[in-house]
Amino acid sequence: MTNQKIMSSSFGSQLLELTSPSLDVSSRSTRNTILQSISQLIDDDEDCRESLGRGGLAIEASKRCSSVHSYKRLVTVIQSAIIAELAVGSGSGEDTSNLHALCHALCHALSQSEKISLLDDCATAFRTQGCDTTKVLHETFVAVAAQQCNKDGNNTVCVAYPALSLASTMLTQMGRPVAESRLERLTRGQDDKQQQTTNNNGPSSQDTNATNKKLMEIFLAATLNSSNTFPSSAQVQMAHVFLTCCVTQSSFDEQLAPALGLKLRAHPDKVLPLIETLFSSFVASSKVLDVSSQLNDDNKGSANLLPSIMKHLKSNKIELRTCAWKTLIVLAQLSSGGSLSSVELVTRALCDALSIKGGGVGGLTTSELRAGAYAALEGIARYLVSLDSDTSSLYGDLASDVLLALAASLPKDKNSATATITTASSSGTDLIAKEVGMSALTSWMQLSKRTSGGYDKALGYLAEPIVKYNVKDGEFRFRIGSSLIVGIGGEAFLESIVIDLIEKKNIQKGLETIVEAAVKKHASSDVMPQVDGILAVFLLVLYKSAQLKFTLPASASKAIAAGSTVKGHESSFLYSPSLLAAARSDTSLNYALHRIIALHTKTACKLSEGDEAAKSNVKAEPPLVRIIEKRLTEGHGHPYSAATRALAVCAANPHNPLPSNVNSNSYSSIRASIKTIVTYSPISTKATDAILFAVFMEVNELSMKNEDAQACVNESRSAREQFDPIDESGFNKLPATRGKLSKTAPHRGYDPTSIRQLVKYLLSISGSNSSGITNEDTMWRALVLSHSGTTMRSNRRQRVGLVGHMLDVIGDAVIPFVEKKSGEEETKTVDGLARFIALCAASSRLDYQPRKDKGDNGEDDKKEEDQPPLKKKSDGVTLNISPSIHEAATSLIQTLGGIAGSFDESEFEEDEDEGNMKAYAFASKLCTEKLPSHLVEHLADFLNVVESLTEEDVALFMSAQGVLFQPGGGGAAEKPGSAKPVAEKKKGKKAKGGGGGFNAFEDEEWERQVKKDLAKK
């Protein structure tokens, strides 16, 4: 007996240790050792199972769990104990109390965790047991659920939901899926009698119906009890297996729906979220259930759910309005088979609430209330669009009525009217009611017949701000921008709308007016981006791509054609710096900009290949995306056209026109636009070279700007806290470095993933495509960009991916590119690659030349003070190398080194498939023969510069910004050696300029310039 007590005490301590949060950070071997030890005790010792079940040890352990991992370990232990009890025959005899206690403890732990994944894992484990065992488990879990429902207190009620789910799982294993509808059985060629005769070992149909009814009574007792203590949505979700398997059409109509209707009218604020959760579970499981008979009071015994839910769209509580429109969307999706009657009932009820017929007391009279109806209509439209075309086409007449209601209701809403609505993907956000309505309008236009009256009214609503253009009201920008951003039909649907607008509503003249206004405003001031102008140009180009015979207005054609020149940003608003800056953050501008360039390039190519009649109407214009050979030869920083730079801006900061919760390829990404441009551009333009050159400069410039912003933020503690306040509440006790300007952020002013994917595509077409890379400088820049966003500290998984990708690039693109050269030119090409990589990794600017001439004393003939200032090209481009390019180059060196380290010359000589080893040999030659010498040159050069720094140089660099540094004063050390005359010279100059006094402005300017020079060193 003493030994049993000692063992029981040891088992309890091990179990409590297993559920401790501290074990989450322990090694996997430590956790597995403890878990195996406990599992062995459970299998061998009945007393341990008794203490775990009837002893209450499992319940006590579940109260100590605080993480999903601790719950998972505890559930595994209890599950093993239940299986062990069943193995020794517990449950078949008279004493089943310990099995009951263990099942109760398991449901208690699952309920406390609120993790559906743990419940599903348990169901899977129990499903493998024999038929007799599953029957015992089913009866035990039913008893656990029924017993807990008879007790008072909301905490005990929660145990019923996982118990019902596990009981339903066991019932399914005993025979057949319980809630399988007649429609599903008929689909497989069975009826009720056949189903009963083919499952002789399982429960009969009569027994199944009785079991279903009993389980539904337990569920209703747990959910809608007389004490009016309702469970949370997370707790009810633990019954999702029961809701999926055991709720039949008859049990829903006769038991569940009437009870929900009564409680909804009595306690709407508590029951409405519950209804949303229940019906969402039905939709998520693709359950065939028709709720249309329970929506209105037309049918005898109806729960009258629809009016009870609709009235809460007018509630003063935001939470009730949110639950109401979400529940309406779910109700519309619950229809049987091919019938969609509930869709029509819910949709027409919403239209009546928005229309004049619903005015007065029962109508939605404010934008705040109408926002919920708009959101519900949008959700229903998205559901219908997701169905097959035959089903969705049945609702053309309904869509027309919805569009009539929306076209009449939307003008009442102003942009300033907002409604705080909780979306499905977030806890809460501020939505503009008009935005939601606009999204609903464009969604229902896809379902409507293009000849219907509702579609015509919707077109009129879109055309109104174009025909009656007023730049101050912003309606054109809102309606067209919203159609572009939230329209789920994609560019094909948008193209059909544009065709109808131009051909039916005659908006061409209005679009020309908008473009001409943008041209005039840009000529007077280019500070503000001309958003309306670019949207109007996009609509015209989109129509042109569909109707090739259409001639673009002169103002639009001139604005687009300016992109073929270097100074197009000065003459056209489409490529102005202000608009490019706005396109980096605005989705509609970003999308419209790269699509204008892509569609215009494709259209020009098609026209040039068309018949002579079409050619005669086309004025020859230079291609938009191209390399300027003269500027490239002269070494300019931007040797490409203005349109090419606009593409680089869109590529560095891509935007998805669709909402984050919508997955679709209906819109063309920036990569698709660049693919179109590369395909349709003439080979002579060298479009691939131009794009890669522009992307490299864009990434470099964005990283430099990001570095400057980061330096300002990190200049002082107050600046850091102002930019990113430290939250010391809750678990955030330690200050965390976060945000897009933090050193740990992968985003350094651009999207590295987008850049790497784009470069990967352009490199892939360079080996076998005539439109690929042709210039050496472009190839080297592409290799560095292929590692953008990575560093030498990248994790092993990422490095393995980089190595594999680089092997493909070397074999498919680099080696064929190098082999086009011959003899000495090939050697120079490889040496040029090594020189550029070393330059990006070790130098401070792209035009830097290592100093090789030494004096008699081994020192440089030129002193640092005599070196020319930072060199700028004639186009004003500073050729500094950004930290992002530095990190990418060093990461590339590490990748090449990893490839070179795997090269074995003896295997290369014996390998018959030389193509498999050429990449390794190339990387080995590059890393052993070329790169080291160039890196050493830079290292030796910069060591001399570092050694020339004085103490005062360092003190000046480290001094706080905004505080004037005093040489030799204020605690600063005296400047030794040759640095003293420089300080005296500066001091004398300031005294002379200030009449012998102190001139703070000149001192600050001098200090700022010196700091910049020191930073470059």
Side-chain angles (χ1 to χ4, degrees):
M1 188 68 180
T2 304
N3 292 335
Q4 291 179 353
K5 289 184 178 181
I6 294 174
M7 184 175 295
S8 178
S9 175
S10 174
F11 173 75
S13 61
Q14 290 185 32
L15 183 66
L16 295 179
E17 182 183 1
L18 186 70
T19 57
S20 174
S22 60
L23 198 61
D24 294 345
V25 297
S26 300
S27 62
R28 181 180 299 179
S29 60
T30 302
R31 295 194 300 268
N32 291 340
T33 300
I34 298 176
L35 188 60
Q36 291 174 3
S37 175
I38 294 177
S39 299
Q40 188 66 35
L41 288 174
I42 288 175
D43 293 338
D44 298 341
D45 193 349
E46 183 178 355
D47 292 334
C48 290
R49 296 195 295 271
E50 288 284 336
S51 61
L52 191 65
R54 284 190 294 190
L57 188 57
I59 298 292
E60 180 66 25
S62 66
K63 294 179 181 179
R64 293 173 177 250
C65 293
S66 59
S67 67
V68 62
H69 302 290
S70 57
Y71 277 115
K72 185 175 183 179
R73 293 192 294 268
L74 178 62
V75 166
T76 302
V77 169
I78 303 175
Q79 178 182 298
S80 301
I82 292 174
I83 295 175
E85 281 288 308
L86 293 171
V88 297
S90 179
S92 59
E94 297 181 357
D95 187 11
T96 60
S97 57
N98 191 50
L99 179 62
H100 185 282
L102 287 172
C103 291
H104 173 266
L106 177 64
C107 295
H108 186 278
L110 292 172
S111 177
Q112 292 295 320
S113 69
E114 297 183 350
K115 295 296 181 182
I116 297 179
S117 58
L118 295 181
L119 176 66
D120 294 338
D121 292 342
C122 287
T124 302
F126 290 143
R127 199 176 286 124
T128 59
Q129 304 301 312
C131 183
D132 295 336
T133 301
T134 55
K135 183 177 181 181
V136 172
L137 284 175
H138 167 72
E139 295 174 351
T140 306
F141 283 121
V142 171
V144 169
Q147 179 182 0
Q148 295 306 311
C149 289
N150 293 330
K151 294 183 179 181
D152 296 330
N154 189 37
N155 189 33
T156 58
V157 170
C158 301
V159 180
Y161 299 120
L164 285 172
S165 286
L166 292 173
S168 302
T169 302
M170 299 302 103
L171 189 61
T172 303
Q173 288 300 109
M174 291 164 57
R176 59 172 174 79
V178 183
E180 191 175 35
S181 67
R182 179 180 178 83
L183 177 63
E184 290 172 319
R185 294 196 298 273
L186 290 176
T187 302
R188 301 203 318 264
Q190 301 172 337
D191 61 10
D192 294 329
K193 293 182 180 180
Q194 291 175 332
Q195 182 67 25
Q196 182 175 349
T197 57
T198 55
N199 291 278
N200 295 326
N201 295 331
S204 64
S205 177
Q206 185 176 1
D207 293 340
T208 298
N209 292 334
T211 303
N212 286 345
K213 186 174 181 180
K214 180 180 180 181
L215 293 178
M216 179 58 73
E217 290 174 352
I218 295 174
F219 177 78
L220 292 176
T223 307
L224 307 174
N225 52 74
S226 57
S227 62
N228 295 326
T229 54
F230 300 99
S232 65
S233 298
Q235 294 167 348
V236 176
Q237 285 177 351
M238 298 300 290
H240 79 100
V241 179
F242 160 75
L243 296 173
T244 302
C245 298
C246 295
V247 178
T248 61
Q249 186 68 52
S250 59
S251 64
F252 175 80
D253 291 335
E254 297 172 5
Q255 294 177 280
L256 182 58
L260 289 175
L262 290 174
K263 288 295 183 179
L264 176 61
R265 289 184 283 275
H267 306 279
D269 55 336
K270 296 180 180 179
V271 178
L272 191 56
L274 188 61
I275 292 178
E276 181 199 343
T277 302
L278 291 175
F279 289 175
S280 297
S281 297
F282 296 147
V283 172
S285 62
S286 301
K287 189 173 184 60
V288 180
L289 197 66
D290 188 5
V291 301
S292 58
S293 61
Q294 302 296 325
L295 295 182
N296 291 326
D297 55 2
D298 299 337
N299 299 322
K300 184 178 179 180
S302 172
N304 205 23
L305 293 175
L306 185 56
S308 301
I309 297 173
M310 282 289 299
K311 71 177 184 179
H312 295 296
L313 289 176
K314 303 187 294 292
S315 173
N316 293 327
K317 297 180 179 179
I318 297 175
E319 294 79 7
L320 274 181
R321 294 201 302 271
T322 302
C323 285
W325 68 259
K326 285 186 175 182
T327 306
L328 291 173
I329 296 174
V330 177
L331 283 177
Q333 300 180 43
L334 290 174
S335 300
S336 61
S339 171
L340 294 176
S341 54
S342 58
V343 172
E344 188 165 359
L345 289 173
V346 174
T347 304
R348 293 200 180 280
L350 290 168
C351 291
D352 291 342
L354 290 173
S355 64
I356 301 176
K357 291 186 295 183
V361 179
L364 304 176
T365 56
T366 64
S367 295
E368 186 180 39
L369 302 181
R370 285 191 290 269
Y374 294 153
L377 287 173
E378 181 200 6
I380 295 172
R382 290 183 184 273
Y383 162 66
L384 293 177
V385 171
S386 66
L387 300 176
D388 58 273
S389 57
D390 294 335
T391 304
S392 60
S393 62
L394 299 175
Y395 286 86
D397 295 336
L398 178 63
S400 179
D401 295 339
V402 174
L403 291 176
L404 288 173
L406 289 172
S409 178
L410 279 172
K412 304 174 186 177
D413 300 309
K414 306 300 180 183
N415 290 343
S416 58
T418 60
T420 304
I421 300 177
T422 304
T423 62
S425 59
S426 61
S427 58
T429 183
D430 292 337
L431 296 180
I432 300 176
K434 198 168 184 179
E435 284 186 357
V436 186
M438 193 68 209
S439 177
L441 183 79
T442 54
S443 299
W444 279 98
M445 286 181 73
Q446 298 176 69
L447 298 167
S448 177
K449 299 177 182 178
R450 298 175 66 176
T451 57
S452 65
Y455 185 81
D456 187 71
K457 284 287 185 182
L459 283 179
Y461 178 76
L462 293 176
E464 182 182 3
I466 304 176
V467 178
K468 304 176 182 178
Y469 177 65
N470 184 356
V471 67
K472 295 182 179 180
D473 62 9
E475 279 297 304
F476 170 75
R477 186 182 315 173
F478 171 76
R479 298 185 192 184
I480 299 303
S482 297
S483 301
L484 181 65
I485 296 172
V486 302
I488 58 178
E491 194 170 293
F493 168 66
L494 182 61
E495 181 181 294
S496 67
I497 290 182
V498 172
I499 293 175
D500 290 337
L501 285 173
I502 292 180
E503 297 180 354
K504 296 180 180 180
K505 297 301 179 181
N506 300 320
I507 65 168
Q508 178 180 346
K509 188 172 181 60
L511 293 175
E512 291 180 28
T513 303
I514 296 173
V515 175
E516 290 171 358
V519 172
K520 292 179 181 178
K521 291 180 180 178
H522 174 72
S524 59
S525 175
D526 61 351
V527 176
M528 295 298 295
Q530 303 303 321
V531 179
D532 292 353
I534 188 175
L535 294 178
V537 171
F538 175 62
L539 297 184
L540 290 169
V541 172
L542 192 60
Y543 183 73
K544 173 72 173 179
S545 66
Q547 306 291 337
L548 294 179
K549 294 183 180 180
F550 173 72
T551 303
L552 287 175
S555 57
S557 180
K558 185 177 180 180
I560 298 172
S564 63
T565 64
V566 177
K567 297 186 178 181
H569 61 282
E570 298 177 358
S571 58
S572 174
F573 66 89
L574 283 179
Y575 315 104
S576 63
S578 58
L579 194 138
L580 295 184
R584 291 188 177 101
S585 57
D586 187 274
T587 302
S588 60
L589 295 183
N590 187 291
Y591 184 78
L593 185 58
H594 69 76
R595 291 308 294 161
I596 287 173
I597 301 172
L599 291 174
H600 186 273
T601 302
K602 183 177 180 180
T603 303
C605 179
K606 286 186 175 181
L607 288 174
S608 65
E609 297 174 353
D611 54 19
E612 295 300 328
K615 290 182 181 180
S616 61
N617 295 326
V618 180
K619 181 180 178 181
E621 296 177 353
L624 294 182
V625 180
R626 64 193 185 105
I627 275 283
I628 312 297
E629 291 290 349
K630 181 179 179 181
R631 295 175 64 86
L632 180 64
T633 305
E634 294 175 354
H636 287 267
H638 287 168
Y640 41 81
S641 61
T644 311
R645 183 175 186 181
L647 275 180
V649 169
C650 297
N653 293 275
H655 292 271
N656 183 14
L658 291 173
S660 58
N661 58 345
V662 178
N663 295 322
S664 175
N665 294 323
S666 55
Y667 279 97
S668 300
S669 63
I670 176 62
R671 178 179 169 184
S673 293
I674 290 180
K675 184 177 181 180
T676 300
I677 293 168
V678 171
T679 303
Y680 289 97
S681 293
I683 298 177
S684 60
T685 61
K686 300 182 179 180
T688 302
D689 292 319
I691 293 171
L692 284 171
F693 218 113
V695 168
F696 183 87
M697 295 304 297
E698 178 69 12
V699 168
N700 190 56
E701 291 175 8
L702 288 177
S703 181
M704 291 295 297
K705 292 178 181 178
N706 186 80
E707 188 71 14
D708 293 340
Q710 187 181 37
C712 293
V713 169
N714 294 326
E715 185 67 30
S716 63
R717 175 166 183 164
S718 60
R720 287 194 298 272
E721 292 180 354
Q722 184 177 3
F723 172 77
D724 193 5
I726 297 174
D727 182 13
E728 296 185 355
S729 61
F731 296 98
N732 296 324
K733 297 297 182 183
L734 297 176
T737 304
R738 54 195 181 276
K740 67 179 182 179
L741 295 181
S742 64
K743 288 185 177 298
T744 58
H747 191 294
R748 297 292 182 86
Y750 67 98
D751 188 345
T753 304
S754 173
I755 297 298
R756 291 198 300 270
Q757 291 176 350
L758 173 61
V759 172
K760 181 179 180 180
Y761 162 70
L762 294 177
L763 284 171
S764 65
I765 66 173
S766 297
S768 57
N769 197 324
S770 58
S771 60
I773 299 174
T774 61
N775 185 271
E776 294 182 8
D777 292 338
T778 307
M779 177 64 77
W780 312 154
R781 282 164 171 76
L783 293 178
V784 174
L785 286 176
S786 67
H787 284 63
S788 60
T790 66
T791 67
M792 296 184 69
R793 298 182 297 276
S794 296
N795 57 55
R796 178 177 176 80
R797 181 178 180 181
Q798 187 181 48
R799 183 62 58 191
V800 170
L802 291 172
V803 168
H805 167 61
M806 185 51 56
L807 280 171
D808 295 336
V809 168
I810 293 175
D812 299 337
V814 178
I815 292 179
F817 181 84
V818 173
E819 288 179 347
K820 292 179 182 179
K821 314 291 182 180
S822 59
E824 188 177 349
E825 289 186 1
E826 181 177 348
T827 304
K828 289 182 178 180
T829 302
V830 178
D831 189 68
L833 169 60
R835 185 186 301 108
F836 184 79
I837 295 176
L839 181 72
C840 292
S843 182
S844 61
R845 58 183 187 265
L846 290 171
D847 59 348
Y848 181 82
Q849 295 293 336
R851 291 179 295 243
K852 300 180 180 180
D853 297 331
K854 302 292 180 180
D856 296 336
N857 298 326
E859 299 179 353
D860 289 347
D861 291 338
K862 290 186 178 181
K863 296 182 179 180
E864 179 63 21
E865 295 87 344
D866 298 330
Q867 291 299 315
L870 182 62
K871 185 178 180 181
K872 295 185 178 181
K873 296 299 180 183
S874 58
D875 53 1
V877 179
T878 302
L879 300 179
N880 286 351
I881 298 178
S882 67
S884 182
I885 297 298
H886 278 302
E887 292 174 349
T890 54
S891 179
L892 174 61
I893 292 175
Q894 185 170 358
T895 299
L896 293 172
I899 298 174
S902 302
F903 174 69
D904 189 343
E905 189 173 356
S906 59
E907 293 182 2
F908 177 68
E909 294 175 353
E910 298 174 359
D911 194 352
E912 297 180 358
D913 185 11
E914 293 186 1
N916 189 37
M917 297 296 294
K918 276 187 176 182
Y920 291 94
F922 182 87
S924 177
K925 179 179 179 181
L926 191 67
C927 292
T928 57
E929 300 179 12
K930 302 296 183 181
L931 270 174
S933 60
H934 293 289
L935 290 173
V936 167
E937 284 182 5
H938 287 283
L939 179 61
D941 201 7
F942 287 120
L943 281 177
N944 295 329
V945 178
V946 172
E947 290 174 356
S948 67
L949 291 176
T950 64
E951 293 181 3
E952 190 170 306
D953 290 335
V954 177
L956 174 60
F957 179 73
M958 299 299 294
S959 63
Q961 188 174 4
V963 178
L964 185 62
F965 177 71
Q966 295 291 340
E974 289 291 340
K975 197 169 187 179
S978 61
K980 187 173 181 180
V982 176
E984 291 177 353
K985 180 179 179 181
K986 291 286 183 181
K987 185 174 180 181
K989 183 178 180 180
K990 291 187 293 237
K992 181 178 180 181
F998 176 73
N999 192 326
F1001 176 76
E1002 291 187 4
D1003 275 354
E1004 289 176 358
E1005 287 297 322
W1006 170 75
E1007 177 189 349
R1008 188 180 297 109
Q1009 184 62 37
V1010 173
K1011 275 191 173 184
K1012 286 183 179 180
D1013 294 339
L1014 290 174
K1016 291 164 190 171
K1017 294 180 182 180

